[in-house]
Amino acid sequence: MKFLKWFLIVIAALVLLVVFVGIPYMREQTKKHSPQKTSSYKQDGLDLSVAYSSPFKKGRVIFGDLVPYGAVWRTGANEPSTFTTATEIKLVDKVLPAGKYSLWTIPQKEQWTVMFNSEIPDWGVTITSGGTETPYDPTYDAVRITAPVASIPMEQESFLIDFEKAEHLSLILSWDRTQVKIPINLKP
């Protein structure tokens, strides 16, 4: 009985050590390789921001290899990327209410599926899958759209999410020689 008591105390201490020391340490270490970035846009009655971790290419083949085609991607590294809007907006032809959303994508060669999801998990992949699966749940999608892929002439070394205002405002996702633009409009 005494052995069982000590065994349970040791197990509890190990669990607490992993939760309060091991996991925060691992997260800090991954941030060194994929730094946290934020982009924002505050004009034209819009108050938008996106927070994401920006991994580097490092000579790797990105889309179709590191980021497989046809699979849900956390759209960055570490935690899922988040998109916040202070007002209701339109993305392509879908209305996105004001709020904070996790941003997920399914890359393909010709087009990407882009999902704005009301659930924001702590981490972008599941530990039990060894980092190969995401905790993304499509039942929480607020908006799901498709956007065409464009090839860019200059290689983008680190993953970038930003806002671009040309003829209209777009959310830009760029990495390697791939770019996806998602049109943003105030809801009419």
Side-chain angles (χ1 to χ4, degrees):
M1 189 68 164
K2 193 174 186 178
F3 171 76
L4 181 60
K5 180 180 177 182
W6 280 106
F7 179 75
L8 292 175
I9 289 171
V10 168
I11 294 297
L14 288 173
V15 167
L16 290 173
L17 186 63
V18 166
V19 169
F20 292 108
V21 177
I23 292 174
Y25 176 77
M26 287 176 13
R27 287 184 179 188
E28 179 185 323
Q29 293 305 308
T30 62
K31 297 274 184 175
K32 290 179 182 178
H33 301 287
S34 300
Q36 188 72 26
K37 294 189 176 184
T38 303
S39 296
S40 59
Y41 182 86
K42 293 181 182 183
Q43 293 178 33
D44 308 323
L46 296 171
D47 185 356
L48 309 170
S49 66
V50 62
Y52 64 103
S53 290
S54 177
F56 292 88
K57 181 174 172 17
K58 298 180 192 173
R60 301 176 289 186
V61 174
I62 301 302
F63 298 107
D65 189 23
L66 180 66
V67 177
Y69 289 130
V72 174
W73 180 39
R74 60 183 151 178
T75 316
N78 306 325
E79 303 90 350
S81 297
T82 58
F83 180 88
T84 305
T85 176
T87 57
E88 188 174 89
I89 59 173
K90 275 184 92 172
L91 299 167
V92 183
D93 62 346
K94 307 269 173 79
V95 174
L96 183 68
K100 184 175 183 178
Y101 302 91
S102 55
L103 176 62
W104 305 88
T105 53
I106 302 173
Q108 297 285 2
K109 281 186 178 185
E110 303 297 321
Q111 68 180 19
W112 285 17
T113 302
V114 182
M115 298 85 74
F116 294 81
N117 192 284
S118 62
E119 184 178 59
I120 304 173
D122 283 345
W123 206 245
V125 292
T126 60
I127 294 172
T128 56
S129 73
T132 60
E133 295 177 12
T134 69
Y136 165 75
D137 184 346
T139 60
Y140 293 99
D141 281 354
V143 166
R144 179 183 268 248
I145 57 170
T146 58
V149 170
S151 182
I152 54 178
M154 296 281 296
E155 185 175 279
Q156 178 75 36
E157 174 62 26
S158 64
F159 178 59
L160 173 72
I161 304 178
D162 206 355
F163 297 95
E164 178 184 271
K165 177 87 186 239
E167 294 175 22
H168 61 274
L169 180 64
S170 294
L171 180 66
I172 306 292
L173 310 174
S174 297
W175 199 12
D176 195 2
R177 293 190 181 270
T178 299
Q179 186 174 81
V180 174
K181 289 185 178 186
I182 302 150
I184 300 172
N185 298 299
L186 277 170
K187 184 180 177 274

